[in-house]
Amino acid sequence: MKAEQLTQKLQSLASPEIAAKSQRFFKTGMGEYGEGDRFLGIRVPILRQQAREFQNMSLTQVLRCLKSDYHEERLCALLILVRKFESGDEKLRERIFRHYLDHIRYINNWDLVDSSAYQIVGAYLLTRKRKILYQLASSDSLWQRRITIIATYRFIREQQYDDALAIAERLLMDQQDLIHKAVGWMVREVGNRDRSRAQQFLDPRYQAMPRTMLRVAIEKFPEPLRQNYLKGEI
């Protein structure tokens, strides 16, 4: 299978109407977070189906697709990489992890990050040193910072909370709303498994953290406790 075959297949599935809606939804206007991104107009379930059909494509060919100007082709390439990673041996997983970092500039919207970061970066680092996450947490790139915090979801699922909360601390006063939501999401996931641990993180910080971050973090708390946080009565 060649990259050109996937490109042609996706082109055949394109919908101008869906593309126009996606351009608005993913904030592609001047000065917005997805400025200049281009869309074919293909729904995610269809992209997942294509990822299954093209999962035997070589890494070289997949990476060519990851460099596409079109959002959906990049997403499909990432979905293929996730499938290859999950079914691959340790050697292949390392190669995919390294290629992911080498091509990180193409992972440049929240859905691209959320569909691949914990599945590849988090999964690879689950049993390894995690220094790279702290480096990415200091990046000027919104998307690299989001990759960092979303990657920790894989650790959280294994009841490993230290790095997730340490990175949440680093990103606590980030200026980007998409980081506020992602940090809140990961703190919420910690709380879903260990509420006391999440509260230990929140109690000295909740009054200073962005409101969106707090609301997402406490979303699943019992209503009286949630209201106490919102009213500043903890």
mmCIF file of all heavy atoms in Angstrom, residues 168-198:
data_model
loop_
_atom_site.group_PDB
_atom_site.id
_atom_site.type_symbol
_atom_site.label_atom_id
_atom_site.label_comp_id
_atom_site.label_asym_id
_atom_site.label_seq_id
_atom_site.Cartn_x
_atom_site.Cartn_y
_atom_site.Cartn_z
ATOM 1 N N ALA A 168 0.401 18.742 35.561
ATOM 2 C CA ALA A 168 -0.733 19.644 35.779
ATOM 3 C C ALA A 168 -0.282 20.886 36.540
ATOM 4 O O ALA A 168 -0.698 22.009 36.222
ATOM 5 C CB ALA A 168 -1.838 18.920 36.543
ATOM 6 N N GLU A 169 0.576 20.695 37.522
ATOM 7 C CA GLU A 169 1.120 21.824 38.283
ATOM 8 C C GLU A 169 1.891 22.776 37.374
ATOM 9 O O GLU A 169 1.739 23.999 37.446
ATOM 10 C CB GLU A 169 2.035 21.300 39.394
ATOM 11 C CG GLU A 169 2.842 22.354 40.135
ATOM 12 C CD GLU A 169 2.005 23.156 41.105
ATOM 13 O OE1 GLU A 169 1.013 22.625 41.610
ATOM 14 O OE2 GLU A 169 2.350 24.330 41.350
ATOM 15 N N ARG A 170 2.693 22.226 36.490
ATOM 16 C CA ARG A 170 3.476 23.063 35.575
ATOM 17 C C ARG A 170 2.596 23.861 34.613
ATOM 18 O O ARG A 170 2.956 24.956 34.196
ATOM 19 C CB ARG A 170 4.457 22.205 34.780
ATOM 20 C CG ARG A 170 5.569 21.607 35.627
ATOM 21 C CD ARG A 170 6.699 21.089 34.773
ATOM 22 N NE ARG A 170 7.799 20.607 35.599
ATOM 23 C CZ ARG A 170 9.051 20.511 35.184
ATOM 24 N NH1 ARG A 170 9.372 20.853 33.950
ATOM 25 N NH2 ARG A 170 9.999 20.057 35.990
ATOM 26 N N LEU A 171 1.472 23.285 34.264
ATOM 27 C CA LEU A 171 0.591 23.922 33.293
ATOM 28 C C LEU A 171 -0.561 24.686 33.950
ATOM 29 O O LEU A 171 -1.453 25.173 33.256
ATOM 30 C CB LEU A 171 0.015 22.854 32.350
ATOM 31 C CG LEU A 171 1.044 22.096 31.497
ATOM 32 C CD1 LEU A 171 0.361 20.987 30.708
ATOM 33 C CD2 LEU A 171 1.772 23.050 30.551
ATOM 34 N N LEU A 172 -0.514 24.803 35.251
ATOM 35 C CA LEU A 172 -1.644 25.349 36.001
ATOM 36 C C LEU A 172 -2.042 26.746 35.525
ATOM 37 O O LEU A 172 -3.229 27.062 35.434
ATOM 38 C CB LEU A 172 -1.301 25.389 37.492
ATOM 39 C CG LEU A 172 -2.475 25.541 38.448
ATOM 40 C CD1 LEU A 172 -3.311 24.268 38.468
ATOM 41 C CD2 LEU A 172 -1.976 25.847 39.865
ATOM 42 N N MET A 173 -1.065 27.578 35.223
ATOM 43 C CA MET A 173 -1.359 28.956 34.842
ATOM 44 C C MET A 173 -1.133 29.195 33.350
ATOM 45 O O MET A 173 -0.903 30.328 32.926
ATOM 46 C CB MET A 173 -0.511 29.920 35.679
ATOM 47 C CG MET A 173 -0.702 29.759 37.180
ATOM 48 S SD MET A 173 -2.438 29.718 37.719
ATOM 49 C CE MET A 173 -2.979 31.357 37.266
ATOM 50 N N ASP A 174 -1.205 28.134 32.570
ATOM 51 C CA ASP A 174 -1.097 28.259 31.121
ATOM 52 C C ASP A 174 -2.162 29.230 30.614
ATOM 53 O O ASP A 174 -3.260 29.320 31.164
ATOM 54 C CB ASP A 174 -1.284 26.885 30.475
ATOM 55 C CG ASP A 174 -0.787 26.825 29.046
ATOM 56 O OD1 ASP A 174 -1.492 27.313 28.143
ATOM 57 O OD2 ASP A 174 0.310 26.291 28.830
ATOM 58 N N GLN A 175 -1.846 29.931 29.534
ATOM 59 C CA GLN A 175 -2.752 30.949 29.017
ATOM 60 C C GLN A 175 -3.802 30.404 28.058
ATOM 61 O O GLN A 175 -4.743 31.110 27.703
ATOM 62 C CB GLN A 175 -1.940 32.041 28.300
ATOM 63 C CG GLN A 175 -0.977 32.786 29.211
ATOM 64 C CD GLN A 175 -1.694 33.469 30.361
ATOM 65 O OE1 GLN A 175 -2.596 34.284 30.153
ATOM 66 N NE2 GLN A 175 -1.306 33.156 31.585
ATOM 67 N N GLN A 176 -3.667 29.152 27.639
ATOM 68 C CA GLN A 176 -4.539 28.607 26.613
ATOM 69 C C GLN A 176 -5.705 27.803 27.197
ATOM 70 O O GLN A 176 -5.513 26.904 28.004
ATOM 71 C CB GLN A 176 -3.736 27.710 25.666
ATOM 72 C CG GLN A 176 -2.706 28.464 24.835
ATOM 73 C CD GLN A 176 -3.352 29.311 23.751
ATOM 74 O OE1 GLN A 176 -4.507 29.089 23.374
ATOM 75 N NE2 GLN A 176 -2.611 30.290 23.252
ATOM 76 N N ASP A 177 -6.893 28.115 26.738
ATOM 77 C CA ASP A 177 -8.091 27.420 27.213
ATOM 78 C C ASP A 177 -8.025 25.914 26.932
ATOM 79 O O ASP A 177 -8.517 25.125 27.733
ATOM 80 C CB ASP A 177 -9.333 28.030 26.546
ATOM 81 C CG ASP A 177 -10.621 27.429 27.056
ATOM 82 O OD1 ASP A 177 -10.933 27.604 28.238
ATOM 83 O OD2 ASP A 177 -11.317 26.772 26.261
ATOM 84 N N LEU A 178 -7.444 25.527 25.813
ATOM 85 C CA LEU A 178 -7.348 24.102 25.488
ATOM 86 C C LEU A 178 -6.432 23.354 26.455
ATOM 87 O O LEU A 178 -6.572 22.139 26.620
ATOM 88 C CB LEU A 178 -6.867 23.912 24.045
ATOM 89 C CG LEU A 178 -7.929 24.198 22.972
ATOM 90 C CD1 LEU A 178 -7.288 24.221 21.596
ATOM 91 C CD2 LEU A 178 -9.055 23.173 23.010
ATOM 92 N N ILE A 179 -5.523 24.053 27.078
ATOM 93 C CA ILE A 179 -4.697 23.444 28.132
ATOM 94 C C ILE A 179 -5.479 23.408 29.436
ATOM 95 O O ILE A 179 -5.427 22.425 30.180
ATOM 96 C CB ILE A 179 -3.367 24.195 28.307
ATOM 97 C CG1 ILE A 179 -2.556 24.149 27.004
ATOM 98 C CG2 ILE A 179 -2.559 23.596 29.461
ATOM 99 C CD1 ILE A 179 -2.176 22.758 26.544
ATOM 100 N N HIS A 180 -6.237 24.458 29.715
ATOM 101 C CA HIS A 180 -7.080 24.459 30.923
ATOM 102 C C HIS A 180 -8.003 23.237 30.913
ATOM 103 O O HIS A 180 -8.141 22.525 31.914
ATOM 104 C CB HIS A 180 -7.943 25.721 30.988
ATOM 105 C CG HIS A 180 -7.162 26.997 30.993
ATOM 106 N ND1 HIS A 180 -7.766 28.224 30.838
ATOM 107 C CD2 HIS A 180 -5.836 27.244 31.135
ATOM 108 C CE1 HIS A 180 -6.852 29.174 30.885
ATOM 109 N NE2 HIS A 180 -5.667 28.603 31.062
ATOM 110 N N LYS A 181 -8.644 22.993 29.776
ATOM 111 C CA LYS A 181 -9.572 21.868 29.671
ATOM 112 C C LYS A 181 -8.849 20.534 29.811
ATOM 113 O O LYS A 181 -9.346 19.611 30.469
ATOM 114 C CB LYS A 181 -10.313 21.938 28.336
ATOM 115 C CG LYS A 181 -11.262 23.118 28.230
ATOM 116 C CD LYS A 181 -11.898 23.207 26.843
ATOM 117 C CE LYS A 181 -12.843 24.396 26.753
ATOM 118 N NZ LYS A 181 -13.388 24.563 25.376
ATOM 119 N N ALA A 182 -7.672 20.422 29.192
ATOM 120 C CA ALA A 182 -6.932 19.162 29.241
ATOM 121 C C ALA A 182 -6.423 18.867 30.652
ATOM 122 O O ALA A 182 -6.498 17.726 31.122
ATOM 123 C CB ALA A 182 -5.766 19.198 28.252
ATOM 124 N N VAL A 183 -5.906 19.882 31.330
ATOM 125 C CA VAL A 183 -5.437 19.683 32.707
ATOM 126 C C VAL A 183 -6.612 19.316 33.603
ATOM 127 O O VAL A 183 -6.533 18.374 34.405
ATOM 128 C CB VAL A 183 -4.717 20.948 33.222
ATOM 129 C CG1 VAL A 183 -4.438 20.820 34.730
ATOM 130 C CG2 VAL A 183 -3.405 21.161 32.474
ATOM 131 N N GLY A 184 -7.719 20.039 33.469
ATOM 132 C CA GLY A 184 -8.897 19.704 34.257
ATOM 133 C C GLY A 184 -9.356 18.278 33.999
ATOM 134 O O GLY A 184 -9.742 17.564 34.932
ATOM 135 N N TRP A 185 -9.320 17.871 32.768
ATOM 136 C CA TRP A 185 -9.710 16.515 32.388
ATOM 137 C C TRP A 185 -8.851 15.479 33.092
ATOM 138 O O TRP A 185 -9.365 14.502 33.666
ATOM 139 C CB TRP A 185 -9.610 16.397 30.869
ATOM 140 C CG TRP A 185 -9.855 15.037 30.281
ATOM 141 C CD1 TRP A 185 -10.423 13.947 30.890
ATOM 142 C CD2 TRP A 185 -9.543 14.621 28.943
ATOM 143 N NE1 TRP A 185 -10.463 12.879 30.019
ATOM 144 C CE2 TRP A 185 -9.938 13.269 28.821
ATOM 145 C CE3 TRP A 185 -8.965 15.277 27.847
ATOM 146 C CZ2 TRP A 185 -9.750 12.559 27.631
ATOM 147 C CZ3 TRP A 185 -8.799 14.566 26.665
ATOM 148 C CH2 TRP A 185 -9.191 13.221 26.567
ATOM 149 N N MET A 186 -7.540 15.683 33.111
ATOM 150 C CA MET A 186 -6.661 14.693 33.745
ATOM 151 C C MET A 186 -6.819 14.685 35.263
ATOM 152 O O MET A 186 -6.791 13.620 35.889
ATOM 153 C CB MET A 186 -5.198 14.949 33.357
ATOM 154 C CG MET A 186 -4.890 14.677 31.898
ATOM 155 S SD MET A 186 -5.374 13.015 31.330
ATOM 156 C CE MET A 186 -6.736 13.407 30.221
ATOM 157 N N VAL A 187 -7.019 15.854 35.871
ATOM 158 C CA VAL A 187 -7.274 15.880 37.314
ATOM 159 C C VAL A 187 -8.595 15.173 37.606
ATOM 160 O O VAL A 187 -8.713 14.429 38.599
ATOM 161 C CB VAL A 187 -7.284 17.327 37.846
ATOM 162 C CG1 VAL A 187 -7.673 17.353 39.322
ATOM 163 C CG2 VAL A 187 -5.920 17.983 37.649
ATOM 164 N N ARG A 188 -9.589 15.373 36.758
ATOM 165 C CA ARG A 188 -10.869 14.666 36.920
ATOM 166 C C ARG A 188 -10.667 13.155 36.836
ATOM 167 O O ARG A 188 -11.273 12.395 37.607
ATOM 168 C CB ARG A 188 -11.850 15.125 35.843
ATOM 169 C CG ARG A 188 -13.255 14.515 35.996
ATOM 170 C CD ARG A 188 -14.125 14.910 34.828
ATOM 171 N NE ARG A 188 -13.706 14.237 33.602
ATOM 172 C CZ ARG A 188 -13.990 14.688 32.367
ATOM 173 N NH1 ARG A 188 -14.665 15.800 32.217
ATOM 174 N NH2 ARG A 188 -13.579 14.016 31.316
ATOM 175 N N GLU A 189 -9.829 12.711 35.887
ATOM 176 C CA GLU A 189 -9.580 11.273 35.743
ATOM 177 C C GLU A 189 -8.888 10.709 36.978
ATOM 178 O O GLU A 189 -9.169 9.580 37.395
ATOM 179 C CB GLU A 189 -8.765 11.001 34.482
ATOM 180 C CG GLU A 189 -9.508 11.257 33.180
ATOM 181 C CD GLU A 189 -10.719 10.360 33.015
ATOM 182 O OE1 GLU A 189 -10.726 9.228 33.550
ATOM 183 O OE2 GLU A 189 -11.677 10.791 32.340
ATOM 184 N N VAL A 190 -7.988 11.482 37.574
ATOM 185 C CA VAL A 190 -7.385 11.057 38.841
ATOM 186 C C VAL A 190 -8.484 10.942 39.897
ATOM 187 O O VAL A 190 -8.579 9.947 40.625
ATOM 188 C CB VAL A 190 -6.296 12.043 39.302
ATOM 189 C CG1 VAL A 190 -5.826 11.700 40.725
ATOM 190 C CG2 VAL A 190 -5.104 12.023 38.340
ATOM 191 N N GLY A 191 -9.342 11.966 39.970
ATOM 192 C CA GLY A 191 -10.415 11.961 40.960
ATOM 193 C C GLY A 191 -11.409 10.826 40.774
ATOM 194 O O GLY A 191 -11.968 10.323 41.750
ATOM 195 N N ASN A 192 -11.610 10.413 39.533
ATOM 196 C CA ASN A 192 -12.508 9.286 39.282
ATOM 197 C C ASN A 192 -11.998 8.002 39.918
ATOM 198 O O ASN A 192 -12.778 7.094 40.235
ATOM 199 C CB ASN A 192 -12.675 9.063 37.777
ATOM 200 C CG ASN A 192 -13.531 10.128 37.121
ATOM 201 O OD1 ASN A 192 -14.240 10.878 37.791
ATOM 202 N ND2 ASN A 192 -13.463 10.210 35.801
ATOM 203 N N ARG A 193 -10.686 7.933 40.101
ATOM 204 C CA ARG A 193 -10.064 6.723 40.645
ATOM 205 C C ARG A 193 -9.653 6.897 42.106
ATOM 206 O O ARG A 193 -9.638 5.926 42.860
ATOM 207 C CB ARG A 193 -8.847 6.359 39.794
ATOM 208 C CG ARG A 193 -9.236 5.948 38.376
ATOM 209 C CD ARG A 193 -8.066 6.074 37.404
ATOM 210 N NE ARG A 193 -8.417 5.572 36.077
ATOM 211 C CZ ARG A 193 -9.101 6.270 35.167
ATOM 212 N NH1 ARG A 193 -9.497 7.506 35.452
ATOM 213 N NH2 ARG A 193 -9.378 5.751 33.990
ATOM 214 N N ASP A 194 -9.290 8.131 42.482
ATOM 215 C CA ASP A 194 -8.818 8.400 43.839
ATOM 216 C C ASP A 194 -9.166 9.853 44.163
ATOM 217 O O ASP A 194 -8.360 10.754 43.955
ATOM 218 C CB ASP A 194 -7.305 8.168 43.916
ATOM 219 C CG ASP A 194 -6.757 8.259 45.335
ATOM 220 O OD1 ASP A 194 -7.422 8.884 46.191
ATOM 221 O OD2 ASP A 194 -5.666 7.718 45.579
ATOM 222 N N ARG A 195 -10.373 10.067 44.677
ATOM 223 C CA ARG A 195 -10.821 11.435 44.919
ATOM 224 C C ARG A 195 -9.938 12.155 45.922
ATOM 225 O O ARG A 195 -9.669 13.353 45.792
ATOM 226 C CB ARG A 195 -12.267 11.461 45.384
ATOM 227 C CG ARG A 195 -12.837 12.893 45.446
ATOM 228 C CD ARG A 195 -14.196 12.928 46.107
ATOM 229 N NE ARG A 195 -15.126 12.047 45.409
ATOM 230 C CZ ARG A 195 -16.227 11.565 45.967
ATOM 231 N NH1 ARG A 195 -16.515 11.858 47.231
ATOM 232 N NH2 ARG A 195 -17.032 10.786 45.287
ATOM 233 N N SER A 196 -9.489 11.456 46.930
ATOM 234 C CA SER A 196 -8.663 12.121 47.944
ATOM 235 C C SER A 196 -7.371 12.649 47.334
ATOM 236 O O SER A 196 -6.896 13.728 47.700
ATOM 237 C CB SER A 196 -8.357 11.166 49.101
ATOM 238 O OG SER A 196 -7.571 10.070 48.666
ATOM 239 N N ARG A 197 -6.797 11.905 46.388
ATOM 240 C CA ARG A 197 -5.562 12.365 45.734
ATOM 241 C C ARG A 197 -5.832 13.610 44.889
ATOM 242 O O ARG A 197 -5.027 14.559 44.881
ATOM 243 C CB ARG A 197 -4.992 11.233 44.866
ATOM 244 C CG ARG A 197 -3.628 11.563 44.260
ATOM 245 C CD ARG A 197 -2.553 11.603 45.343
ATOM 246 N NE ARG A 197 -1.307 12.105 44.815
ATOM 247 C CZ ARG A 197 -0.421 11.352 44.147
ATOM 248 N NH1 ARG A 197 -0.652 10.053 43.953
ATOM 249 N NH2 ARG A 197 0.700 11.885 43.702
ATOM 250 N N ALA A 198 -6.942 13.621 44.192
ATOM 251 C CA ALA A 198 -7.301 14.797 43.408
ATOM 252 C C ALA A 198 -7.540 15.999 44.321
ATOM 253 O O ALA A 198 -7.111 17.119 44.011
ATOM 254 C CB ALA A 198 -8.540 14.510 42.570
#
